[in-house]
Amino acid sequence: MALVEQDSEDPWDLPELKDTGVPWSALDTKGKVLRVLVSVLKFIILLGLLYMFICSLDILSSAFQLVGGRAAGDIFQENSILSNPLAGLVIGVLVTLLVQSSSTSSSIVVSMVSSGILTVQVAVPIIMGTNIGTSVTNTLVAMTQAGDRSTFRRAFAGATVHDFFNWLSVLVLLPLEVASGYLYRVTELIIESFQIESGEAPDLLNVITDVLTEAIIQLDESVIGGIASGDSDARNKSMIKIWCQTANETVRHAVSCVKFATNCWQLKNMSVMSNIKKCNHLFVNTNLPDLAVGLILLALSLLVLCSCLVCIVKLLNSMLKGQVASVIKKILNTDFPFPFGWVTGYIAIVVGAGMTFIVQSSSVFTSAITPLVGIGVISIERAYPLSLGSNIGTTTTAILAAMASPGDRLGNALQIALVHFLFNISGIILWYPIPFTRFPIRMAKSLGNITASYRWFAAVYIILCFFVLPLLVFSLSLAGWQVLVGVGVPLVVMLIVVVVINVLQKRKPGFLPAGLRSWDFLPLWAHSLDPWDKVVVAFTAKCCCCCKCCQEMRKAAYDNPAMAVEKEVEDEIKIELDIIKVAKL
């Protein structure tokens, strides 16, 4: 119910970033010059940190592909399962989580459609799933700001507003697509109406970032697609690219033959792939398996990503103070004067689409604005259209990439890319133009309030929404549609009934029987997070006490073993008493 309620008090007012330094007017010439130089230096450092942040996200995607790429290919190979729309949706989510890149997972889908392994209709739910899976990255980025409650409230809400938009869009558009084929039919008409020629997808920000990322690792993207297509050679091939330059050469090869009942030799032209130039990245000559390299890159990229993010937040806090902060916040969050106030949000959508097109990754853009939402520079209301624009921006990159396909495969590849584009446009039409329908903002704010009070619930939300729920639906899909309907329909009906009762309890309690006007007839743990919070606090306290006691016991055991045993018993009794006190509180 907290996700659909609107609180009477608004805890979301942007904080004033006060300038604690000396005012500009009070500085002498030397002080003004020094402040300008320091500001320029901070800006240069900020650009460097942003560059490392973007590169670390790219390396993180490569690491996830090395760790889970083969599993992603195996999942895509199950064509009989993919024919179920719900299973296809879940597979799109899980594969994108494994490779941490919607571009990679959608390109696999495009290649499978182009080669005839999947039809466009079957691929539509998978494309919807990739849209959901890519939104987990900025949610994980928000977790790094859990130190301060107010900052975490805003950052987590700013990240999850993207999640709720994707989930709500799928809840409406997937049943509509299954019933009517809306996305498939409209994109088919577009493809048939325009004479579209092949082209090349442009490299924009990749030109800058590839200098560093390709010096660390380069992957052979065709391996995952080969596994998904059932290529046995791809299964035994490493995903780490060894040869960066190859060429097809025609050689004359002697082949045995039988002519006039006698053995003979015949020369035939054969095409042979020859390796010309080796790659220059760090792991080109490694003997480690793909999994080991992926785990190494995963640990290093997460370390760099978190370090850069913390430094960016600290640096922005030091730069965005006083007059500078007020000017930036005014530019970003102020609407146009009446009657053109409604235009501001659509300009933000265009800006989000343009910035995502430049960086060629919605995860990078939304992860970059998440800390800005956390420190109060961008409001949730402005972050929402920026996130919607990022969804459109990442699909335009996919459209340009599809246009680079060969002529005989251009139609299907472009149709799938247009399905992704039309899906996001349809979601924006559903959840943005009318202010009343902007449910993702209210839901994200309510979830932000919950996670500010119970910060452990953020981890529960990520695990449930992106792992447990998709795996549950996928497992039920494997058991057959009868089991899926038999288990899923009662759960959905129960969820709808609970939401309706909650809304009536809040607004029209007189319409309900006396027993249903509150949830007090249920155990406290069934309608409140307080008992669960006490369990988490007690468990955490016990773990911390155990770690502290173990260190003291090791030290005491060297001096007096008998005293160490006695102290262990006393500490166990003390820990149990502490847990009882916490539970009572």
Side-chain angles (χ1 to χ4, degrees):
M1 182 54 192
L3 298 182
V4 294
E5 286 181 352
Q6 183 68 37
D7 295 333
S8 57
E9 295 183 3
D10 187 12
W12 299 90
D13 292 333
L14 297 181
E16 276 300 324
L17 299 173
K18 297 180 180 179
D19 194 355
T20 56
V22 181
W24 178 264
S25 57
L27 293 173
D28 56 8
T29 305
K30 182 180 178 181
K32 290 180 179 179
V33 172
L34 184 61
R35 177 169 290 186
V36 170
L37 290 175
V38 170
S39 299
V40 171
L41 181 62
K42 285 182 178 180
F43 182 72
I44 294 172
I45 294 173
L46 180 62
L47 290 178
L49 289 171
L50 283 172
Y51 177 78
M52 294 298 297
F53 175 72
I54 294 170
C55 290
S56 65
L57 281 174
D58 196 355
I59 298 295
L60 182 68
S61 175
S62 299
F64 272 109
Q65 289 181 55
L66 286 170
V67 173
R70 295 182 184 279
D74 289 333
I75 290 174
F76 270 131
Q77 200 174 356
E78 297 295 334
N79 297 334
S80 58
I81 299 173
L82 293 175
S83 59
N84 183 328
L86 274 178
L89 174 75
V90 171
I91 285 174
V93 176
L94 294 176
V95 169
T96 308
L97 288 174
L98 284 173
V99 300
Q100 277 296 292
S101 171
S102 60
S103 300
T104 301
S105 52
S106 59
S107 65
I108 296 172
V109 177
V110 168
S111 65
M112 294 180 72
V113 171
S114 300
S115 59
I117 297 174
L118 291 180
T119 62
V120 176
Q121 295 95 322
V122 171
V124 171
I126 305 175
I127 288 294
M128 293 183 184
T130 63
N131 218 54
I132 294 174
T134 191
S135 62
V136 73
T137 307
N138 59 324
T139 309
L140 292 172
V141 168
M143 294 284 288
T144 62
Q145 297 184 269
D148 180 77
R149 289 187 186 273
S150 298
T151 301
F152 187 47
R153 175 191 282 113
R154 289 189 295 271
F156 202 76
T160 53
V161 72
H162 194 196
D163 304 349
F164 285 123
F165 169 78
N166 289 329
W167 281 110
L168 290 175
S169 298
V170 166
L171 286 175
V172 174
L173 294 176
L174 181 61
L176 179 63
E177 177 64 22
V178 172
S180 65
Y182 154 67
L183 295 173
Y184 172 75
R185 296 182 187 279
V186 173
T187 52
E188 187 179 37
L189 287 174
I190 295 173
I191 294 295
E192 292 176 352
S193 302
F194 294 96
Q195 295 294 331
I196 303 171
E197 298 181 357
S198 296
E200 290 188 1
D203 285 329
L204 299 175
L205 190 69
N206 289 350
V207 175
I208 304 172
T209 57
D210 284 351
V211 176
L212 179 60
T213 56
E214 289 187 356
I216 297 173
I217 188 69
Q218 294 183 46
L219 299 184
D220 188 352
E221 303 286 352
S222 64
V223 174
I224 302 178
I227 295 174
S229 303
D231 187 358
S232 57
D233 293 335
R235 188 171 296 278
N236 300 321
K237 189 177 178 182
S238 172
M239 289 185 62
I240 301 173
K241 185 180 276 189
I242 306 298
W243 298 96
C244 285
Q245 188 176 351
T246 58
N248 285 324
E249 294 182 353
T250 302
V251 296
R252 296 179 68 81
H253 187 69
V255 180
S256 61
C257 61
V258 177
K259 192 173 184 180
F260 302 115
T262 60
N263 294 329
C264 65
W265 294 94
Q266 185 178 3
L267 293 177
K268 286 189 176 182
N269 293 332
M270 297 185 66
S271 180
V272 178
M273 180 73 71
S274 61
N275 300 318
I276 298 175
K277 184 180 178 182
K278 257 191 173 184
C279 300
N280 293 321
H281 57 85
L282 291 177
F283 296 94
V284 67
N285 294 318
T286 184
N287 294 321
L288 296 173
D290 287 0
L291 179 61
V293 175
L295 292 175
I296 293 171
L297 291 176
L298 183 65
L300 292 177
S301 59
L302 284 174
L303 177 63
V304 174
L305 187 145
C306 295
S307 302
C308 288
L309 193 62
V310 170
C311 293
I312 287 171
V313 172
K314 296 289 184 184
L315 200 57
L316 286 173
N317 276 323
S318 67
M319 293 174 66
L320 301 177
K321 291 182 179 179
Q323 194 72 19
V324 177
S326 62
V327 171
I328 293 176
K329 285 198 289 186
K330 189 174 182 180
I331 292 173
L332 291 175
N333 301 305
T334 303
D335 294 334
F336 286 113
F338 181 83
F340 302 106
W342 59 273
V343 178
T344 313
Y346 294 97
I347 292 177
I349 291 175
V350 173
V351 170
M355 293 298 296
T356 304
F357 179 74
I358 291 172
V359 301
Q360 295 192 347
S361 172
S362 59
S363 299
V364 170
F365 177 71
T366 54
S367 299
I369 67 172
T370 296
L372 295 177
V373 177
I375 64 176
V377 175
I378 300 177
S379 65
I380 306 294
E381 288 75 14
R382 188 64 72 239
Y384 180 50
L386 288 172
S387 298
L388 302 188
S390 73
N391 274 2
I392 296 176
T394 193
T395 59
T396 55
T397 306
I399 290 172
L400 290 171
M403 291 180 68
S405 302
D408 58 337
R409 293 184 276 176
L410 178 62
N412 287 338
L414 193 56
Q415 186 175 356
I416 284 296
L418 286 175
V419 163
H420 199 183
F421 177 77
L422 186 60
F423 168 76
N424 285 297
I425 292 292
S426 303
I428 290 173
I429 293 173
L430 284 172
W431 310 116
Y432 188 75
I434 305 173
F436 171 74
T437 61
R438 295 174 187 174
F439 294 114
I441 295 179
R442 282 179 283 177
M443 297 171 76
K445 284 185 174 182
S446 298
L447 183 61
N449 289 331
I450 294 173
T451 52
S453 301
Y454 312 102
R455 279 177 273 193
W456 53 268
F457 189 76
V460 173
Y461 163 80
I462 293 174
I463 293 171
L464 284 179
C465 285
F466 292 102
F467 295 96
V468 174
L469 181 61
L471 287 173
L472 176 63
V473 175
F474 184 66
S475 302
L476 293 175
S477 301
L478 291 177
W481 68 268
Q482 297 92 340
V483 177
L484 180 63
V485 172
V487 176
V489 170
L491 289 177
V492 172
V493 170
M494 183 177 67
L495 179 64
I496 293 173
V497 170
V498 169
V499 171
V500 170
I501 292 175
N502 275 324
V503 173
L504 291 176
Q505 286 177 349
K506 178 71 176 180
R507 299 180 181 177
K508 300 286 184 180
F511 289 2
L512 293 172
L516 286 177
R517 292 177 185 175
S518 71
W519 296 109
D520 293 340
F521 64 91
L522 293 175
L524 186 61
W525 59 266
H527 63 92
S528 173
L529 290 176
D530 286 336
W532 298 101
D533 187 56
K534 292 173 183 177
V535 172
V536 172
V537 170
F539 179 76
T540 306
K542 184 173 182 179
C543 290
C544 293
C545 290
C546 286
C547 294
K548 187 176 179 181
C549 291
C550 286
Q551 292 176 357
E552 293 178 357
M553 284 172 56
R554 289 193 195 100
K555 184 178 179 181
Y558 286 108
D559 301 331
N560 192 334
M563 290 288 291
V565 173
E566 184 179 348
K567 189 175 187 311
E568 181 180 355
V569 176
E570 293 176 356
D571 288 338
E572 287 181 358
I573 296 172
K574 184 179 178 182
I575 290 170
E576 296 298 331
L577 291 174
D578 289 340
I579 293 173
I580 293 171
K581 290 179 182 178
V582 171
K584 286 181 178 179
L585 290 172

